Amino acid sequence: MEDVFLLKESVLSFLDRSGALLQLAEDCKPFNDIQRNEAVYRFCIRVNPSDLIELDPRLGDCVLNDPLKATALFQSVCFLSIKTLSLIEKIHTESQVNVILKFTHLPPFPEYTLDLCEFPCGYGPMRPVAMEGLAIAMTRVSKYTQGARFLCSEEDCPCSTGFHHIRVHAPGATESATVRSDFSCLLCSSHLKEDIKFRVLGDKQLVELIHVKALDVLKVHPPSALRYQSVTLFLRDELCNSMRIGRLYRVLGIPAHVHQWPNVTWSVEANSVQPWEPEYTGTISSNFQALLTATACSPWRFSAIVANTFGSPVVPPGLYSTLKLGLLLSLVQGREDNPDSLHCLDLLALTTDTLILDRLMMYSLGLAGRGVRHPATGEMFASLSRDEHGAGTANIHAGSALLATGGVCMLGDLGHHRKDKMDALQSALESRTVSVIIPGKKYGEDADQQISFPVQCSFWALADSTAPSNKTTRTDSTVLGTVDMGPVPAQLAEAFGLVILCREAGGKQALLAQTVHTLRQAVQPGEPLYPSCMQFTTQDYQELLAHTQRIQTELSPGAEMMIHGYYMASRRVRSDSGHGAKVSVASIKLLISLAEAHSKLCLRSTVLEEDAVIAVLLCENSITLRHGASALVIPPDAAFPCDLCDLEALHRRDLILEQLQQSILHFVYAYAPGAASYITEEE
């Protein structure tokens, strides 16, 4: 008893020093409302384990290793404080005070860390642990009983009145452990009946958390012997809706065994939830640093060489350079650590060789911070199932797009997808949201409910341009006019930001280069095949992309004016063509995103006018493929108008891009009203 008294004394001292006692007094004020008449009064107290250990090591040890006992100590002290200070007159017994200890953090020791890769879980002590993971499924918010008042059915028993029998939810307890009809009086053993008007309800939500490495199974890494198993989190009251599907979180919680006869499941009662960002400690390789120094004379050369040699394990340098640049720009704009700041760059590649492009995209997907390969038969956005933990509500499981939040979702060949799937994809690309309808009758509700989720990932897809389509085939021109999109509906192609036609000018020569490359890869696996790309490894590209994603950019006046001028001029030209406006409002976001991505890829924090030139060329090529050429006539592969085989070729490309830059400015002067007043042409 003396030890318990000393611990309570330490609890009171902590509450006084930390300001929690004053907060307790403030929290009591709303409960004094005459209309509020409850059996249980809930209070949250923030606890810093380090402060407790410094104040009283025994109390700190109790909080960290026996949280239920520590909660009882705080409950007793809070009850005495409330009664002594007359904070709530309606509280009569200690059991009416429901104290929740909220941990600010836990000691950084293995004993207080739960690695979700470990299997099986649930054999350790039931003490607070910290874990990091990815939210892959969640239920709707439903109700649970925080506390209830029971009265003895025997009228002569003292427990037939008052607050002698109070049931309060405990971590790991089911609803039947708090409220059911077979409780007995502790004094006379008579049947207890609940006083319904004093029942206190709270909100709860279930979330499935899994180790982020589990996504490697859906990526391109070879399967390993590791087994990944999700853990069920119970979010209650203020923690409900604090997590979103597809996001990374750091969770502090208390493990619990949930008894549902005849089964016992292991879950975690969440105590604290915070967004989690994986630490980045990498640097740019010396090879790319040397290349940056060597190409400082031109704002275009660094990105040109990076794109030209990219994907050398799959395709030879110089092949599909425009597509590789588009893939790199899309990867640069990925933000796994902050999906809300993601600038999506959706890409559709048209080709006659889907196998090679599929391999190139798969290789690129492996460099994404988060990448998911979507199977044609899988769920793209979300699916429903019944909750298995007794809640009876719907459990919403993340599909490929939601799992790829902040990264890339690769769809593969769109010719393998059903029409309804492509319609859903088109809707998601246009609105950047996906809605899930939960049938009310199936999941115990009076009416259907619709829940919307943001789609925050970039989509990569490819299509066989020679495949049959349902529309009349249109003439394919190398410079002017449109190309047939194969099995891709025109509205879906329009929803993609970039459409790139992968058709190499070399013809048989390009096919021969790809054949030789593939054979050499088979004979000499893992060895560099080209002297020009020996210095740039896959790891070099991973480090470069990870660094570029964290660069904060700012538009220069020249870049901003060129982007807005081109947008207004192109919109006017295509609106006057008699076929309606072909440049949507979303195009301005695409142009800015492309320019920012190119600036980041060149390791610049300021978006130059030269970055805007690349953005305009890529965007104009894409619009031309879908709607035909405009007054701004540019080559089909304007970003790579010539092969980059040597230094002279790089110089020749710079000269061509400078000429195209002037052509863009003249186009803006001619068709954008007032453009001459805010764009200064470089003579």
Side-chain angles (χ1 to χ4, degrees):
M1 291 297 295
E2 182 180 355
D3 291 340
V4 173
F5 178 78
L6 292 175
L7 287 174
K8 290 182 179 180
E9 193 177 50
S10 297
V11 169
L12 182 60
S13 178
F14 168 77
L15 294 177
D16 185 36
R17 291 185 182 183
S18 64
L21 202 57
L22 291 175
Q23 185 62 44
L24 177 66
E26 289 294 322
D27 294 340
C28 287
K29 292 179 180 179
F31 293 120
N32 287 314
D33 188 346
I34 300 177
Q35 296 181 352
R36 298 192 65 170
N37 201 12
E38 302 171 353
V40 176
Y41 300 87
R42 186 174 183 270
F43 303 96
C44 294
I45 298 177
R46 293 180 61 83
V47 174
N48 187 333
S50 299
D51 293 343
L52 289 176
I53 292 174
E54 183 178 350
L55 175 66
D56 186 341
R58 294 176 303 167
L59 180 59
D61 178 74
C62 181
V63 167
L64 290 173
N65 295 288
D66 194 352
L68 293 180
K69 178 182 177 181
T71 300
L73 292 172
F74 276 82
Q75 178 188 24
S76 178
V77 173
C78 288
F79 170 70
L80 291 174
S81 301
I82 291 172
K83 296 303 291 183
T84 302
L85 300 175
S86 300
L87 298 177
I88 302 178
E89 297 296 337
K90 293 179 287 187
I91 289 184
H92 305 284
T93 61
E94 183 177 306
S95 56
Q96 288 182 267
V97 179
N98 182 16
V99 172
I100 307 297
L101 300 182
K102 293 290 186 179
F103 298 100
T104 58
H105 70 280
L106 293 176
F109 302 128
E111 293 80 7
Y112 302 100
T113 302
L114 176 63
D115 188 352
L116 296 181
C117 280
E118 293 182 356
F119 179 83
C121 298
Y123 290 96
M126 300 294 104
R127 62 185 172 200
V129 292
M131 66 196 80
E132 293 98 11
L134 171 72
I136 61 172
M138 63 175 53
T139 66
R140 294 179 301 166
V141 176
S142 58
K143 295 295 182 180
Y144 81 104
T145 303
Q146 287 183 0
R149 175 197 186 191
F150 288 84
L151 300 175
C152 183
S153 59
E154 180 61 45
E155 295 182 359
D156 296 332
C157 179
C159 296
S160 62
T161 59
F163 295 86
H164 302 282
H165 292 289
I166 300 294
R167 303 286 299 182
V168 179
H169 170 80
T174 59
E175 186 71 7
S176 61
T178 307
V179 178
R180 64 174 188 264
S181 60
D182 59 349
F183 293 127
S184 300
C185 179
L186 296 178
L187 288 181
C188 65
S189 299
S190 298
H191 176 70
L192 292 179
K193 58 182 179 180
E194 183 188 357
D195 190 354
I196 298 295
K197 65 177 179 292
F198 281 93
R199 180 184 290 193
V200 181
L201 298 179
D203 296 330
K204 76 172 180 179
Q205 186 178 30
L206 277 64
V207 176
E208 296 289 330
L209 197 72
I210 200 168
H211 199 284
V212 68
K213 289 184 178 179
L215 285 182
D216 291 346
V217 178
L218 303 176
K219 209 173 183 182
V220 294
H221 299 291
S224 65
L226 292 176
R227 175 175 177 176
Y228 299 98
Q229 181 172 344
S230 64
V231 59
T232 301
L233 301 178
F234 281 82
L235 307 183
R236 300 192 186 271
D237 303 299
E238 65 276 353
L239 291 182
C240 289
N241 293 321
S242 62
M243 301 178 71
R244 292 165 59 180
I245 288 181
R247 299 294 188 95
L248 298 175
Y249 293 95
R250 176 179 174 84
V251 179
L252 306 184
I254 301 176
H257 290 117
V258 180
H259 295 264
Q260 291 178 312
W261 183 261
N263 300 319
V264 177
T265 58
W266 186 85
S267 61
V268 174
E269 286 272 349
N271 185 273
S272 173
V273 175
Q274 295 292 334
W276 173 56
E277 298 181 7
E279 295 183 1
Y280 168 72
T281 57
T283 57
I284 303 175
S285 68
S286 58
N287 295 324
F288 275 129
Q289 290 179 356
L291 176 64
L292 184 64
T293 302
T295 57
C297 58
S298 168
W300 291 307
R301 289 191 183 183
F302 181 79
S303 61
I305 297 175
V306 168
N308 189 66
T309 60
F310 178 65
S312 58
V314 180
V315 296
L319 225 58
Y320 307 121
S321 295
T322 302
L323 174 62
K324 290 191 287 187
L325 177 61
L327 293 173
L328 285 170
L329 296 181
S330 183
L331 289 172
V332 166
Q333 290 292 52
R335 287 299 302 271
E336 183 186 14
D337 57 337
N338 188 10
D340 291 329
S341 65
L342 173 72
H343 298 280
C344 299
L345 276 180
D346 306 311
L347 190 148
L348 172 62
L350 303 175
T351 181
T352 58
D353 191 347
T354 57
L355 177 61
I356 297 300
L357 257 63
D358 186 83
R359 291 176 180 174
L360 178 59
M361 286 188 175
M362 285 288 287
Y363 171 80
S364 306
L365 190 69
L367 301 180
R370 189 190 300 184
V372 174
R373 171 66 187 262
H374 172 67
T377 57
E379 187 59 52
M380 188 179 302
F381 298 108
S383 60
L384 296 176
S385 69
R386 186 174 294 276
D387 169 58
E388 299 178 353
H389 295 82
T393 186
N395 199 14
I396 306 170
H397 300 268
S400 301
L402 297 184
L403 290 175
T405 297
V408 176
C409 179
M410 178 182 166
L411 304 176
D413 191 346
L414 291 181
H416 298 158
H417 294 260
R418 300 198 313 264
K419 183 180 183 302
D420 60 328
K421 298 292 185 181
M422 289 199 283
D423 290 342
L425 173 62
Q426 178 186 335
S427 175
L429 288 172
E430 292 173 348
S431 64
R432 282 293 158 186
T433 59
V434 59
S435 297
V436 179
I437 298 178
I438 302 176
K441 292 183 179 180
K442 185 176 181 180
Y443 296 103
E445 297 291 338
D446 297 332
D448 295 348
Q449 184 177 2
Q450 179 173 304
I451 300 179
S452 298
F453 298 94
V455 179
Q456 297 173 310
C457 69
S458 297
F459 289 95
W460 294 351
L462 56 95
D464 187 351
S465 58
T466 63
S469 62
N470 296 327
K471 58 184 180 295
T472 304
T473 304
R474 300 158 76 173
T475 304
D476 179 2
S477 173
T478 56
V479 178
L480 303 175
T482 60
V483 297
D484 184 51
M485 299 292 170
V488 183
Q491 295 85 353
L492 178 57
E494 188 69 29
F496 277 89
L498 281 182
V499 178
I500 297 176
L501 178 62
C502 301
R503 180 184 53 197
E504 295 303 321
K508 293 183 178 180
Q509 185 178 358
L511 177 61
L512 177 62
Q514 180 63 57
T515 303
V516 172
H517 173 89
T518 304
L519 291 175
R520 292 181 65 184
Q521 280 282 73
V523 175
Q524 302 173 335
E527 295 185 12
L529 303 182
Y530 307 96
S532 62
C533 60
M534 284 184 181
Q535 54 186 342
F536 304 129
T537 64
T538 299
Q539 183 177 354
D540 289 340
Y541 277 99
Q542 285 178 328
E543 294 171 350
L544 175 67
L545 291 170
H547 179 80
T548 56
Q549 290 173 358
R550 287 160 177 80
I551 297 177
Q552 300 294 324
T553 58
E554 182 180 0
L555 281 175
S556 67
E560 184 176 1
M561 298 311 172
M562 171 170 281
I563 289 173
H564 284 274
Y566 164 76
Y567 169 75
M568 291 188 295
S570 184
R571 190 171 177 85
R572 164 169 287 198
V573 167
R574 295 186 181 276
S575 297
D576 295 340
S577 64
H579 301 287
K582 303 299 183 182
V583 182
S584 64
V585 177
S587 297
I588 192 71
K589 295 181 180 180
L590 174 64
L591 287 164
I592 294 174
S593 183
L594 287 170
E596 288 181 346
H598 188 267
S599 175
K600 292 179 181 180
L601 186 61
C602 296
L603 304 177
R604 292 191 294 264
S605 58
T606 302
V607 182
L608 305 179
E609 186 176 314
E610 288 78 6
D611 298 313
V613 169
I614 297 297
V616 169
L617 295 178
L618 291 174
C619 191
E620 180 67 17
N621 276 150
S622 180
I623 297 175
T624 299
L625 292 175
R626 289 176 292 199
H627 303 293
S630 67
L632 178 62
V633 180
I634 60 175
D637 287 320
F640 290 89
C642 58
D643 293 333
L644 305 183
C645 53
D646 51 24
L647 186 61
E648 179 61 30
L650 288 171
H651 179 66
R652 186 163 62 253
R653 177 179 181 265
D654 287 346
L655 294 177
I656 296 175
L657 290 180
E658 288 176 358
Q659 295 174 1
L660 291 174
Q661 181 178 0
Q662 296 304 313
S663 299
I664 295 171
L665 292 175
H666 287 299
F667 173 72
V668 172
Y669 292 148
Y671 297 99
S677 62
Y678 59 75
I679 296 182
T680 302
E681 181 178 2
E682 297 179 4
E683 297 296 340

